Amino acid sequence: MRSGRVLGALLPVVLLAAGCGIRATEVVEAGEPALVQVAPAGELGTVLYFVSSSTAARLMPVVRHSEPWDEGTGSGSGQGRSPVAAVRALDLLFAGPSRAERDAGLRSELPNQRVKMGVELSAQGVRIMMDAPVTGLSEPARQQLFCTAAQARTADRTEAVTVTGTDGVIGPAHCSV
């Protein structure tokens, strides 16, 4: 009787050790993570694009809450139709990620310097004029500029963006995000 109890107690352990016929597998890659559309909350947001440190060149949108600018110069809602909205967004972009954004693994590929710039909006898209070299910018840095400027013009980022610097022109190009 005692051997029957011991056998009965050992049976579940033996079955667990056998794994019930399920074999171990390696990690299965299932593709890239899901992407979501990010739009600023209300009238007080500006969308900037920074590079994720976790993946080589993936841009991540960040909503920066900011004060609304003067009436008639556009709104911070991402639908701004004035050059002032785009210049403001680009100024924030060149300032780089905040401490919290850096802690979250975001960085900028743009040079960490004060850049004077102007923006023109037309039917052909957004034209940025900068007093800095632009042709040597990495592709992620270029996309940071293209996506942030296009987002400042329209929420769907379909605008063509051209950047003119002291050493030449990049674009017209579109945001790839």
Side-chain angles (χ1 to χ4, degrees), residues 80-165:
R81 299 271 187 229
S82 83
V84 174
V87 169
R88 172 122 171 118
L90 293 168
D91 282 343
L92 291 170
L93 180 67
F94 270 93
S98 68
R99 180 178 179 94
E101 293 160 354
R102 285 190 309 272
D103 290 347
L106 298 177
R107 61 185 168 79
S108 180
E109 287 279 320
L110 293 167
N112 190 9
Q113 64 187 39
R114 285 302 273 175
V115 176
K116 289 183 183 177
M117 68 185 86
V119 174
E120 291 178 357
L121 306 179
S122 70
Q124 289 75 38
V126 180
R127 182 169 174 238
I128 304 168
M129 293 81 58
M130 296 175 28
D131 71 346
V134 296
T135 59
L137 292 174
S138 67
E139 187 56 30
R142 291 174 183 215
Q143 285 298 314
Q144 282 184 264
L145 285 171
F146 299 151
C147 293
T148 299
Q151 179 82 37
R153 177 83 186 261
T154 61
D156 63 6
R157 301 176 312 279
T158 58
E159 294 291 320
V161 179
T162 303
V163 183
T164 303

Side-chain angles (χ1 to χ4, degrees), residues 32-116:
E32 295 293 323
L35 297 176
V36 295
Q37 179 72 0
V38 175
E43 296 286 318
L44 302 178
T46 300
V47 179
L48 310 174
Y49 287 82
F50 292 112
V51 181
S52 171
S53 295
S54 63
T55 55
R58 170 159 299 190
L59 291 186
M60 301 296 289
V62 172
V63 178
R64 286 274 184 89
H65 298 285
S66 58
E67 296 299 318
W69 31 89
D70 295 335
E71 189 68 30
T73 60
S75 73
S77 68
Q79 300 290 340
R81 299 271 187 229
S82 83
V84 174
V87 169
R88 172 122 171 118
L90 293 168
D91 282 343
L92 291 170
L93 180 67
F94 270 93
S98 68
R99 180 178 179 94
E101 293 160 354
R102 285 190 309 272
D103 290 347
L106 298 177
R107 61 185 168 79
S108 180
E109 287 279 320
L110 293 167
N112 190 9
Q113 64 187 39
R114 285 302 273 175
V115 176
K116 289 183 183 177

